[in-house]
Amino acid sequence: MDKSAVVSGTLIGANSNNIYFEYGTTETFGKVTPKVTTSLVGNFSYNINLLTPKTTYFYRAVANVNGVLIFGDTMSFTTK
């Protein structure tokens, strides 16, 4: 059975319309979501599909702010 998860983040103190998530089964991630649509600042999220059951995934938000990549904290979740 395939699983899905909604990952979310918040951009505070900067503007960016180029935000996405890195995710994978290790802390080196390996996969990237499409660009997340935001109102330039504030909350954003993405629904990741086709995840493997009973697996721990790591993810972090990434924002391109004026050509500089800003990385969020690495977070994790485990599918049922």
Side-chain angles (χ1 to χ4, degrees), residues 67-80:
V68 177
L69 292 180
I70 307 294
F71 299 97
D73 293 337
T74 298
M75 308 295 285
S76 66
F77 62 89
T78 302
T79 54
K80 292 185 178 183

Side-chain angles (χ1 to χ4, degrees), residues 13-76:
N15 291 330
S16 177
N17 61 1
N18 188 1
I19 299 170
Y20 56 94
F21 291 94
E22 296 179 321
Y23 70 99
T25 56
T26 68
E27 291 188 58
T28 58
F29 310 107
K31 297 183 180 185
V32 176
T33 67
K35 184 174 75 171
V36 176
T37 302
T38 69
S39 61
L40 300 180
V41 65
N43 298 326
F44 52 91
S45 63
Y46 187 81
N47 186 22
I48 301 172
N49 295 305
L50 304 175
L51 300 174
T52 303
K54 298 180 182 177
T55 302
T56 298
Y57 285 87
F58 299 89
Y59 70 97
R60 68 179 175 185
V62 182
N64 185 329
V65 178
N66 297 323
V68 177
L69 292 180
I70 307 294
F71 299 97
D73 293 337
T74 298
M75 308 295 285
S76 66

